[in-house]
Coordinates of all heavy atoms in Angstrom, one line a residue:
T219 N -9.3 -5.4 3.5 CA -8.2 -6.3 3.7 C -7.0 -5.7 2.9 O -7.3 -4.9 2.0 CB -8.5 -7.8 3.3 OG1 -7.4 -8.6 3.6 CG2 -8.8 -7.9 1.8
K220 N -5.8 -6.1 3.2 CA -4.7 -5.6 2.4 C -4.5 -6.5 1.2 O -4.3 -7.7 1.4 CB -3.4 -5.5 3.2 CG -3.4 -4.4 4.2 CD -2.9 -3.1 3.5 CE -2.9 -1.9 4.6 NZ -3.1 -0.6 4.0
I221 N -4.6 -5.9 0.0 CA -4.4 -6.8 -1.2 C -3.1 -6.3 -1.9 O -3.0 -5.3 -2.5 CB -5.6 -6.6 -2.2 CG1 -6.8 -7.1 -1.4 CG2 -5.4 -7.4 -3.5 CD1 -8.1 -7.1 -2.2
P222 N -2.0 -7.1 -1.7 CA -0.7 -6.7 -2.3 C -0.8 -6.7 -3.8 O -1.5 -7.6 -4.5 CB 0.2 -7.8 -1.9 CG -0.5 -8.7 -0.9 CD -2.0 -8.5 -1.1
Y223 N -0.2 -5.7 -4.4 CA -0.2 -5.6 -5.9 C 0.4 -6.8 -6.6 O 0.0 -7.2 -7.7 CB 0.4 -4.3 -6.4 CG 1.9 -4.3 -6.4 CD1 2.6 -4.6 -7.6 CD2 2.7 -4.2 -5.2 CE1 4.0 -4.6 -7.6 CE2 4.1 -4.3 -5.2 CZ 4.7 -4.5 -6.4 OH 6.1 -4.6 -6.4
T224 N 1.3 -7.5 -5.9 CA 1.9 -8.7 -6.4 C 1.0 -9.9 -6.6 O 1.3 -10.8 -7.3 CB 3.1 -9.2 -5.5 OG1 2.6 -9.2 -4.2 CG2 4.3 -8.2 -5.6
K225 N -0.2 -9.8 -5.9 CA -1.2 -10.9 -6.1 C -2.2 -10.6 -7.2 O -3.1 -11.4 -7.4 CB -2.0 -11.0 -4.8 CG -1.1 -11.4 -3.6 CD -0.9 -12.9 -3.6 CE -0.1 -13.3 -2.3 NZ 0.6 -14.5 -2.5
I226 N -2.0 -9.4 -7.8 CA -3.0 -9.1 -8.9 C -2.5 -9.6 -10.2 O -1.4 -9.3 -10.6 CB -3.2 -7.5 -8.9 CG1 -3.7 -7.0 -7.6 CG2 -4.1 -7.1 -10.1 CD1 -3.9 -5.5 -7.4
Y227 N -3.4 -10.3 -10.9 CA -3.0 -10.7 -12.3 C -2.9 -9.5 -13.2 O -3.7 -8.6 -13.1 CB -4.1 -11.7 -12.8 CG -3.9 -12.0 -14.3 CD1 -2.9 -12.9 -14.7 CD2 -4.5 -11.3 -15.3 CE1 -2.7 -13.2 -16.0 CE2 -4.3 -11.5 -16.6 CZ -3.4 -12.5 -17.0 OH -3.1 -12.7 -18.3
R228 N -1.8 -9.4 -14.0 CA -1.6 -8.2 -14.8 C -1.3 -8.5 -16.2 O -0.5 -9.4 -16.5 CB -0.4 -7.4 -14.2 CG 0.0 -6.2 -15.0 CD 1.3 -5.6 -14.4 NE 2.4 -6.6 -14.4 CZ 3.1 -7.0 -15.4 NH1 2.9 -6.4 -16.6 NH2 4.0 -7.9 -15.3
E229 N -2.0 -7.8 -17.1 CA -1.7 -8.0 -18.6 C -1.9 -6.6 -19.2 O -2.9 -6.0 -18.9 CB -2.7 -9.0 -19.1 CG -2.3 -9.5 -20.5 CD -3.5 -10.4 -21.0 OE1 -4.0 -11.2 -20.2 OE2 -3.9 -10.2 -22.2
G230 N -0.9 -6.1 -19.9 CA -1.0 -4.7 -20.5 C -1.7 -4.7 -21.8 O -2.4 -5.7 -22.2
I231 N -1.5 -3.6 -22.6 CA -2.2 -3.5 -23.9 C -1.3 -3.5 -25.1 O -1.8 -3.3 -26.2 CB -3.0 -2.2 -23.9 CG1 -2.1 -0.9 -23.8 CG2 -4.1 -2.1 -22.8 CD1 -2.7 0.4 -24.3
T232 N 0.0 -3.9 -24.9 CA 0.9 -3.8 -26.0 C 0.7 -4.8 -27.1 O 1.1 -4.5 -28.3 CB 2.4 -3.9 -25.5 OG1 2.4 -5.1 -24.8 CG2 2.8 -2.8 -24.6
A233 N 0.0 -5.8 -26.8 CA -0.3 -6.8 -27.9 C -1.6 -6.6 -28.6 O -2.0 -7.4 -29.5 CB -0.2 -8.2 -27.3
I234 N -2.3 -5.6 -28.3 CA -3.7 -5.4 -28.9 C -3.5 -4.9 -30.3 O -2.7 -4.0 -30.6 CB -4.5 -4.3 -28.1 CG1 -4.7 -4.8 -26.6 CG2 -5.8 -4.0 -28.7 CD1 -5.5 -6.0 -26.4
T235 N -4.3 -5.4 -31.2 CA -4.2 -5.0 -32.6 C -5.5 -4.4 -33.0 O -6.6 -4.6 -32.4 CB -3.9 -6.2 -33.6 OG1 -5.1 -7.1 -33.5 CG2 -2.7 -7.0 -33.2
P236 N -5.5 -3.6 -34.1 CA -6.8 -3.0 -34.6 C -7.8 -4.1 -34.9 O -9.0 -3.9 -34.8 CB -6.4 -2.2 -35.8 CG -5.0 -1.9 -35.6 CD -4.4 -3.0 -34.9
A237 N -7.3 -5.3 -35.3 CA -8.2 -6.4 -35.7 C -9.0 -6.9 -34.5 O -10.2 -7.1 -34.5 CB -7.5 -7.5 -36.3
D238 N -8.3 -7.0 -33.3 CA -9.0 -7.4 -32.1 C -10.2 -6.4 -31.8 O -11.3 -6.9 -31.5 CB -8.1 -7.3 -30.8 CG -6.9 -8.2 -30.9 OD1 -7.1 -9.3 -31.4 OD2 -5.8 -7.8 -30.5
I239 N -9.9 -5.1 -31.9 CA -10.9 -4.1 -31.6 C -12.1 -4.2 -32.6 O -13.2 -4.2 -32.2 CB -10.2 -2.7 -31.6 CG1 -9.3 -2.7 -30.4 CG2 -11.3 -1.6 -31.5 CD1 -8.5 -1.4 -30.2
S240 N -11.7 -4.4 -33.8 CA -12.8 -4.4 -34.8 C -13.7 -5.7 -34.7 O -14.9 -5.6 -34.9 CB -12.2 -4.1 -36.2 OG -12.4 -5.2 -37.1
Y241 N -13.1 -6.8 -34.4 CA -13.9 -8.0 -34.2 C -14.9 -7.8 -33.1 O -16.1 -8.1 -33.1 CB -13.1 -9.3 -33.9 CG -12.3 -9.8 -35.1 CD1 -11.0 -10.2 -35.0 CD2 -12.9 -9.9 -36.3 CE1 -10.2 -10.6 -36.1 CE2 -12.2 -10.4 -37.4 CZ -10.9 -10.7 -37.3 OH -10.2 -11.2 -38.4
G242 N -14.4 -7.2 -32.0 CA -15.2 -6.9 -30.8 C -16.4 -6.0 -31.2 O -17.6 -6.2 -30.8
K243 N -16.0 -4.9 -32.0 CA -17.0 -4.0 -32.4 C -18.2 -4.6 -33.1 O -19.4 -4.3 -32.9 CB -16.4 -3.0 -33.3 CG -16.4 -1.5 -32.9 CD -15.8 -0.7 -34.0 CE -15.3 0.7 -33.5 NZ -14.6 1.4 -34.5
Q244 N -17.8 -5.5 -34.1 CA -18.8 -6.2 -34.9 C -19.8 -7.0 -34.0 O -21.0 -7.2 -34.3 CB -18.2 -7.2 -35.9 CG -17.5 -6.5 -37.0 CD -16.6 -7.4 -37.8 OE1 -16.8 -8.6 -37.9 NE2 -15.5 -6.9 -38.3
L245 N -19.3 -7.5 -32.9 CA -20.2 -8.3 -32.0 C -20.8 -7.4 -30.9 O -21.5 -8.0 -30.0 CB -19.4 -9.4 -31.3 CG -18.8 -10.4 -32.3 CD1 -17.7 -11.3 -31.7 CD2 -19.9 -11.3 -33.0
G246 N -20.6 -6.1 -30.9 CA -21.3 -5.2 -29.9 C -20.4 -5.0 -28.7 O -21.0 -4.7 -27.6
Y247 N -19.1 -5.2 -28.8 CA -18.3 -5.0 -27.6 C -17.2 -3.9 -27.8 O -16.8 -3.7 -29.0 CB -17.5 -6.3 -27.3 CG -18.4 -7.4 -26.7 CD1 -19.1 -8.3 -27.6 CD2 -18.6 -7.5 -25.3 CE1 -19.9 -9.3 -27.1 CE2 -19.4 -8.5 -24.8 CZ -20.1 -9.4 -25.7 OH -20.9 -10.3 -25.2
C248 N -16.7 -3.4 -26.7 CA -15.7 -2.4 -26.8 C -14.5 -2.9 -25.9 O -14.8 -3.5 -24.9 CB -16.4 -1.1 -26.4 SG -15.5 0.0 -25.5
L249 N -13.3 -2.6 -26.3 CA -12.1 -3.1 -25.5 C -11.6 -2.0 -24.6 O -11.3 -0.9 -25.0 CB -11.0 -3.5 -26.5 CG -9.9 -4.4 -25.9 CD1 -10.4 -5.7 -25.4 CD2 -8.8 -4.6 -26.9
K250 N -11.5 -2.4 -23.3 CA -11.0 -1.5 -22.3 C -9.9 -2.2 -21.4 O -10.1 -3.4 -21.2 CB -12.1 -1.0 -21.4 CG -13.2 -0.2 -22.1 CD -12.7 1.2 -22.4 CE -13.7 2.1 -23.0 NZ -13.0 3.3 -23.6
L251 N -9.0 -1.4 -20.9 CA -8.1 -2.0 -19.9 C -8.8 -1.9 -18.6 O -8.9 -0.7 -18.0 CB -6.7 -1.3 -19.8 CG -5.8 -1.9 -18.8 CD1 -5.3 -3.3 -19.3 CD2 -4.6 -1.1 -18.5
L252 N -9.3 -3.0 -18.0 CA -10.1 -2.9 -16.8 C -9.2 -3.4 -15.6 O -8.4 -4.3 -15.7 CB -11.3 -3.7 -16.9 CG -12.4 -3.3 -17.9 CD1 -13.7 -4.2 -17.7 CD2 -12.8 -1.8 -17.8
A253 N -9.5 -2.7 -14.5 CA -9.0 -3.2 -13.2 C -10.2 -3.7 -12.5 O -11.2 -3.0 -12.2 CB -8.4 -2.0 -12.4
I254 N -10.1 -5.0 -12.2 CA -11.3 -5.7 -11.7 C -11.1 -6.3 -10.3 O -10.1 -7.1 -10.1 CB -11.7 -6.9 -12.7 CG1 -12.0 -6.3 -14.1 CG2 -12.9 -7.6 -12.2 CD1 -12.2 -7.3 -15.2
G255 N -11.9 -6.0 -9.4 CA -11.9 -6.6 -8.1 C -13.3 -7.2 -7.8 O -14.3 -6.5 -7.9
K256 N -13.3 -8.5 -7.4 CA -14.6 -9.1 -7.1 C -14.5 -9.8 -5.8 O -13.5 -10.5 -5.5 CB -15.0 -10.1 -8.2 CG -15.4 -9.4 -9.5 CD -16.1 -10.3 -10.4 CE -16.4 -9.7 -11.8 NZ -17.3 -8.6 -11.8
N257 N -15.5 -9.7 -4.9 CA -15.6 -10.3 -3.7 C -16.6 -11.5 -3.8 O -17.8 -11.2 -3.8 CB -16.0 -9.3 -2.6 CG -15.8 -9.8 -1.2 OD1 -15.3 -10.9 -1.0 ND2 -16.2 -9.0 -0.2
T258 N -16.1 -12.7 -4.0 CA -17.0 -13.8 -4.3 C -17.0 -14.8 -3.1 O -16.2 -14.7 -2.2 CB -16.6 -14.6 -5.5 OG1 -15.4 -15.3 -5.2 CG2 -16.2 -13.6 -6.7
D259 N -17.9 -15.8 -3.2 CA -18.0 -16.8 -2.2 C -16.7 -17.6 -2.1 O -16.3 -18.2 -1.1 CB -19.2 -17.8 -2.5 CG -20.5 -17.1 -2.4 OD1 -20.5 -16.0 -1.7 OD2 -21.5 -17.6 -3.0
R260 N -16.0 -17.6 -3.3 CA -14.8 -18.4 -3.3 C -13.5 -17.6 -2.9 O -12.4 -18.1 -2.9 CB -14.5 -19.0 -4.7 CG -15.6 -20.0 -5.1 CD -15.3 -20.5 -6.5 NE -15.0 -19.5 -7.5 CZ -15.9 -18.7 -8.1 NH1 -17.2 -18.8 -7.8 NH2 -15.6 -17.8 -8.9
G261 N -13.7 -16.3 -2.6 CA -12.6 -15.4 -2.2 C -12.6 -14.2 -3.1 O -13.5 -14.0 -3.9
I262 N -11.5 -13.5 -2.9 CA -11.3 -12.2 -3.6 C -10.6 -12.4 -4.9 O -9.5 -13.1 -4.9 CB -10.6 -11.1 -2.7 CG1 -11.6 -10.7 -1.6 CG2 -10.2 -9.9 -3.5 CD1 -11.0 -9.9 -0.5
E263 N -11.1 -11.9 -6.0 CA -10.4 -12.0 -7.3 C -9.9 -10.6 -7.7 O -10.7 -9.7 -7.7 CB -11.6 -12.4 -8.2 CG -11.4 -13.3 -9.3 CD -12.7 -13.5 -10.1 OE1 -12.9 -12.7 -11.0 OE2 -13.4 -14.5 -9.7
V264 N -8.7 -10.5 -8.1 CA -8.2 -9.2 -8.5 C -7.4 -9.3 -9.8 O -6.4 -10.1 -9.9 CB -7.4 -8.5 -7.4 CG1 -8.2 -7.6 -6.5 CG2 -6.5 -9.4 -6.6
R265 N -7.7 -8.5 -10.8 CA -7.0 -8.7 -12.1 C -7.0 -7.4 -12.9 O -8.0 -6.6 -12.8 CB -7.5 -9.9 -12.9 CG -9.0 -10.0 -13.0 CD -9.4 -11.4 -13.3 NE -10.8 -11.6 -13.0 CZ -11.8 -11.3 -13.9 NH1 -11.6 -10.9 -15.1 NH2 -13.1 -11.5 -13.5
V266 N -6.0 -7.2 -13.7 CA -5.9 -6.0 -14.6 C -5.6 -6.6 -16.0 O -4.6 -7.3 -16.2 CB -4.8 -5.1 -14.2 CG1 -4.5 -4.1 -15.3 CG2 -5.1 -4.3 -12.9
H267 N -6.5 -6.4 -17.0 CA -6.2 -6.9 -18.3 C -7.2 -6.3 -19.3 O -8.3 -5.8 -18.9 CB -6.4 -8.5 -18.4 CG -7.6 -9.0 -17.8 ND1 -8.8 -9.0 -18.5 CD2 -7.9 -9.6 -16.6 CE1 -9.8 -9.5 -17.8 NE2 -9.3 -9.9 -16.6
P268 N -6.8 -6.3 -20.6 CA -7.8 -5.8 -21.6 C -9.0 -6.7 -21.6 O -8.9 -7.9 -21.5 CB -7.0 -6.0 -22.9 CG -5.6 -6.2 -22.5 CD -5.6 -6.8 -21.2
T269 N -10.2 -6.1 -21.6 CA -11.4 -6.8 -21.5 C -12.5 -6.3 -22.5 O -12.6 -5.0 -22.6 CB -12.0 -6.6 -20.0 OG1 -11.0 -6.8 -19.1 CG2 -13.2 -7.5 -19.7
F270 N -13.2 -7.2 -23.1 CA -14.4 -6.7 -23.9 C -15.6 -6.5 -23.0 O -15.9 -7.3 -22.2 CB -14.7 -7.8 -24.9 CG -13.8 -7.8 -26.1 CD1 -13.0 -8.8 -26.4 CD2 -13.8 -6.7 -27.0 CE1 -12.2 -8.8 -27.5 CE2 -13.0 -6.6 -28.1 CZ -12.1 -7.7 -28.3
I271 N -16.2 -5.3 -23.1 CA -17.4 -5.0 -22.4 C -18.5 -4.6 -23.4 O -18.2 -4.1 -24.5 CB -17.3 -3.9 -21.3 CG1 -16.6 -2.7 -21.9 CG2 -16.5 -4.4 -20.1 CD1 -16.5 -1.5 -20.9
R272 N -19.7 -4.9 -23.1 CA -20.8 -4.5 -24.0 C -20.8 -3.0 -24.2 O -20.6 -2.3 -23.3 CB -22.2 -4.9 -23.3 CG -22.5 -6.4 -23.4 CD -23.6 -6.5 -24.5 NE -23.8 -7.9 -24.8 CZ -23.8 -8.4 -26.0 NH1 -23.7 -7.6 -27.1 NH2 -24.0 -9.7 -26.3
T273 N -21.1 -2.6 -25.4 CA -21.1 -1.2 -25.7 C -22.2 -0.4 -24.9 O -22.1 0.8 -24.8 CB -21.2 -0.9 -27.2 OG1 -22.3 -1.7 -27.7 CG2 -20.0 -1.2 -28.0
S274 N -23.2 -1.2 -24.4 CA -24.2 -0.5 -23.6 C -23.8 -0.3 -22.2 O -24.5 0.4 -21.4 CB -25.5 -1.4 -23.7 OG -25.2 -2.7 -23.3
H275 N -22.7 -0.9 -21.8 CA -22.2 -0.7 -20.4 C -21.8 0.7 -20.1 O -21.1 1.3 -21.0 CB -21.1 -1.7 -20.0 CG -20.8 -1.8 -18.6 ND1 -20.1 -0.8 -17.9 CD2 -21.1 -2.8 -17.7 CE1 -20.0 -1.2 -16.6 NE2 -20.6 -2.4 -16.5
P276 N -22.1 1.4 -19.0 CA -21.6 2.7 -18.8 C -20.1 2.9 -18.9 O -19.6 4.0 -19.4 CB -22.1 3.0 -17.3 CG -23.2 2.1 -17.1 CD -22.9 0.9 -17.9
L277 N -19.3 1.9 -18.6 CA -17.8 2.1 -18.7 C -17.4 2.2 -20.2 O -16.3 2.7 -20.5 CB -17.1 0.9 -18.0 CG -17.1 0.9 -16.5 CD1 -16.5 -0.4 -16.0 CD2 -16.3 2.1 -16.0
A278 N -18.2 1.7 -21.1 CA -17.9 1.7 -22.5 C -17.9 3.2 -23.0 O -17.3 3.5 -24.0 CB -18.8 0.9 -23.4
A279 N -18.6 4.0 -22.3 CA -18.7 5.5 -22.7 C -17.6 6.3 -22.2 O -17.5 7.5 -22.3 CB -20.0 6.0 -22.3
V280 N -16.7 5.7 -21.4 CA -15.6 6.4 -20.8 C -14.4 6.4 -21.8 O -13.7 5.4 -22.0 CB -15.1 5.8 -19.5 CG1 -14.0 6.5 -18.8 CG2 -16.3 5.8 -18.5
N281 N -14.2 7.6 -22.4 CA -13.2 7.6 -23.5 C -12.1 8.5 -23.3 O -12.0 9.2 -22.3 CB -14.0 8.0 -24.8 CG -14.8 6.9 -25.4 OD1 -14.3 5.8 -25.5 ND2 -16.0 7.1 -25.7
D282 N -11.1 8.5 -24.2 CA -9.9 9.3 -24.1 C -9.2 9.1 -22.8 O -9.1 8.0 -22.4 CB -10.3 10.8 -24.4 CG -10.9 11.0 -25.8 OD1 -10.4 10.2 -26.7 OD2 -11.8 11.7 -26.0
S283 N -8.7 10.2 -22.2 CA -7.9 9.9 -21.0 C -8.8 9.9 -19.7 O -8.2 10.0 -18.6 CB -6.8 11.0 -20.9 OG -7.5 12.3 -20.6
Y284 N -10.1 9.9 -19.9 CA -11.0 9.9 -18.7 C -10.9 8.5 -18.0 O -10.6 7.5 -18.6 CB -12.4 10.2 -19.1 CG -12.6 11.7 -19.3 CD1 -12.4 12.3 -20.5 CD2 -13.0 12.4 -18.2 CE1 -12.5 13.6 -20.6 CE2 -13.2 13.8 -18.3 CZ -12.9 14.4 -19.5 OH -13.0 15.8 -19.7
N285 N -11.2 8.6 -16.7 CA -11.2 7.4 -15.8 C -12.6 7.2 -15.3 O -13.4 8.2 -15.2 CB -10.3 7.6 -14.6 CG -8.8 7.5 -14.9 OD1 -8.0 7.4 -14.0 ND2 -8.4 7.4 -16.1
A286 N -13.0 6.0 -14.8 CA -14.2 5.8 -14.0 C -14.1 4.6 -13.2 O -13.3 3.6 -13.5 CB -15.4 5.7 -15.0
V287 N -14.8 4.6 -12.1 CA -14.8 3.4 -11.2 C -16.3 3.0 -11.0 O -17.1 3.9 -10.6 CB -14.1 3.6 -9.9 CG1 -14.1 2.3 -9.0 CG2 -12.6 3.9 -10.1
Y288 N -16.6 1.8 -11.3 CA -18.0 1.3 -11.2 C -18.1 0.3 -10.0 O -17.4 -0.8 -10.0 CB -18.3 0.6 -12.5 CG -19.7 0.3 -12.8 CD1 -20.5 1.1 -13.5 CD2 -20.3 -0.9 -12.3 CE1 -21.9 0.9 -13.8 CE2 -21.7 -1.2 -12.6 CZ -22.4 -0.3 -13.3 OH -23.7 -0.6 -13.6
I289 N -18.8 0.7 -9.0 CA -18.8 0.0 -7.7 C -20.1 -0.6 -7.5 O -21.2 0.1 -7.7 CB -18.4 0.9 -6.5 CG1 -17.0 1.5 -6.8 CG2 -18.5 0.2 -5.2 CD1 -16.7 2.7 -5.8
T290 N -20.2 -1.9 -7.1 CA -21.5 -2.5 -6.8 C -21.5 -2.9 -5.3 O -20.6 -3.6 -4.8 CB -21.7 -3.7 -7.6 OG1 -21.6 -3.3 -9.0 CG2 -23.1 -4.3 -7.4
G291 N -22.5 -2.3 -4.6 CA -22.6 -2.6 -3.1 C -24.0 -3.2 -2.9 O -24.9 -3.0 -3.7
D292 N -24.1 -4.0 -1.8 CA -25.4 -4.7 -1.6 C -26.5 -3.8 -1.3 O -27.7 -4.1 -1.6 CB -25.3 -5.8 -0.5 CG -24.9 -5.2 0.9 OD1 -24.5 -4.0 0.9 OD2 -25.1 -5.9 1.9
S293 N -26.3 -2.6 -0.8 CA -27.4 -1.6 -0.5 C -27.5 -0.6 -1.6 O -28.6 -0.3 -2.0 CB -27.1 -0.9 0.8 OG -26.9 -1.8 1.8
V294 N -26.4 0.0 -2.1 CA -26.5 1.1 -3.1 C -26.7 0.5 -4.5 O -27.1 1.3 -5.4 CB -25.3 2.0 -3.1 CG1 -25.3 2.9 -1.9 CG2 -24.0 1.2 -3.3
E295 N -26.5 -0.8 -4.7 CA -26.4 -1.3 -6.0 C -25.3 -0.7 -6.8 O -24.2 -0.7 -6.3 CB -27.8 -1.2 -6.7 CG -28.9 -2.0 -6.0 CD -30.2 -1.9 -6.6 OE1 -30.4 -1.5 -7.8 OE2 -31.2 -2.3 -5.9
D296 N -25.5 -0.1 -8.0 CA -24.4 0.3 -8.8 C -24.1 1.8 -8.7 O -25.1 2.6 -8.7 CB -24.6 0.0 -10.3 CG -24.8 -1.5 -10.5 OD1 -24.2 -2.2 -9.7 OD2 -25.5 -1.9 -11.4
V297 N -22.9 2.2 -8.5 CA -22.5 3.6 -8.4 C -21.3 3.8 -9.3 O -20.4 2.9 -9.3 CB -22.0 3.9 -6.9 CG1 -21.3 5.3 -6.9 CG2 -23.1 3.8 -5.9
M298 N -21.3 4.8 -10.2 CA -20.1 5.0 -11.0 C -19.6 6.4 -10.8 O -20.3 7.4 -10.8 CB -20.5 4.9 -12.5 CG -19.2 4.9 -13.4 SD -19.4 4.3 -15.0 CE -19.5 5.8 -16.0
L299 N -18.3 6.5 -10.5 CA -17.6 7.8 -10.3 C -16.7 8.0 -11.6 O -16.0 7.1 -12.0 CB -16.7 7.7 -9.1 CG -17.5 7.6 -7.8 CD1 -16.7 6.9 -6.7 CD2 -17.9 9.0 -7.3
Y300 N -16.8 9.2 -12.1 CA -16.2 9.4 -13.4 C -15.5 10.8 -13.4 O -15.9 11.8 -12.8 CB -17.3 9.5 -14.5 CG -17.0 10.0 -15.8 CD1 -16.5 9.2 -16.8 CD2 -17.2 11.4 -16.1 CE1 -16.2 9.7 -18.1 CE2 -16.9 11.9 -17.4 CZ -16.4 11.0 -18.3 OH -16.1 11.5 -19.6
G301 N -14.3 10.9 -14.1 CA -13.7 12.2 -14.2 C -12.3 12.0 -14.8 O -11.8 10.9 -15.1
R302 N -11.5 13.1 -14.7 CA -10.2 13.1 -15.2 C -9.3 12.4 -14.2 O -9.3 12.7 -13.0 CB -9.7 14.5 -15.4 CG -10.0 15.1 -16.7 CD -8.9 15.9 -17.3 NE -9.3 16.5 -18.6 CZ -9.3 15.8 -19.7 NH1 -8.8 14.6 -19.8 NH2 -9.7 16.4 -20.8
G303 N -8.5 11.5 -14.7 CA -7.6 10.7 -13.8 C -6.3 11.4 -13.6 O -5.6 11.1 -12.6
A304 N -5.9 12.3 -14.4 CA -4.6 12.9 -14.3 C -4.6 14.2 -15.1 O -5.3 14.3 -16.1 CB -3.5 12.0 -14.9
P305 N -3.7 15.1 -14.7 CA -3.5 16.3 -15.5 C -2.7 16.0 -16.7 O -2.0 14.9 -16.7 CB -2.8 17.3 -14.6 CG -2.1 16.4 -13.6 CD -2.8 15.2 -13.5
R306 N -2.8 16.8 -17.7 CA -2.0 16.5 -18.9 C -0.6 17.2 -18.8 O -0.6 18.4 -18.4 CB -2.7 17.2 -20.1 CG -2.5 16.6 -21.4 CD -3.6 17.0 -22.3 NE -3.0 17.7 -23.5 CZ -3.7 18.1 -24.5 NH1 -5.0 18.0 -24.5 NH2 -3.1 18.7 -25.5
R307 N 0.4 16.4 -19.1 CA 1.8 17.1 -19.1 C 1.9 18.0 -20.3 O 1.3 17.8 -21.3 CB 2.9 16.0 -19.3 CG 3.3 15.3 -18.1 CD 4.2 14.2 -18.4 NE 3.5 13.1 -19.0 CZ 2.7 12.2 -18.4 NH1 2.6 12.2 -17.1 NH2 2.1 11.2 -19.1
P308 N 2.7 19.1 -20.2 CA 2.9 19.9 -21.4 C 3.6 19.0 -22.5 O 4.4 18.2 -22.2 CB 3.9 20.9 -21.0 CG 4.1 20.8 -19.5 CD 3.5 19.5 -19.1

Side-chain angles (χ1 to χ4, degrees):
T219 183
K220 285 278 181 207
I221 300 184
Y223 77 101
T224 47
K225 298 280 183 203
I226 299 176
Y227 172 81
R228 176 188 55 78
E229 196 183 317
I231 62 160
T232 52
I234 302 296
T235 65
D238 296 324
I239 293 178
S240 119
Y241 288 136
K243 238 185 200 175
Q244 287 166 30
L245 298 168
Y247 289 88
C248 146
L249 192 67
K250 296 287 183 193
L251 182 70
L252 294 187
I254 301 171
K256 288 194 187 295
N257 192 2
T258 73
D259 294 340
R260 296 182 311 283
I262 290 169
E263 218 179 86
V264 269
R265 46 201 164 88
V266 167
H267 53 78
T269 312
F270 279 116
I271 49 176
R272 280 255 171 230
T273 46
S274 54
H275 192 285
L277 285 171
V280 177
N281 283 312
D282 298 324
S283 65
Y284 280 87
N285 285 191
V287 179
Y288 193 93
I289 299 167
T290 307
D292 62 345
S293 307
V294 285
E295 299 181 11
D296 298 332
V297 171
M298 188 163 103
L299 293 151
Y300 166 88
R302 274 220 183 276
R306 205 164 124 176
R307 277 173 289 280

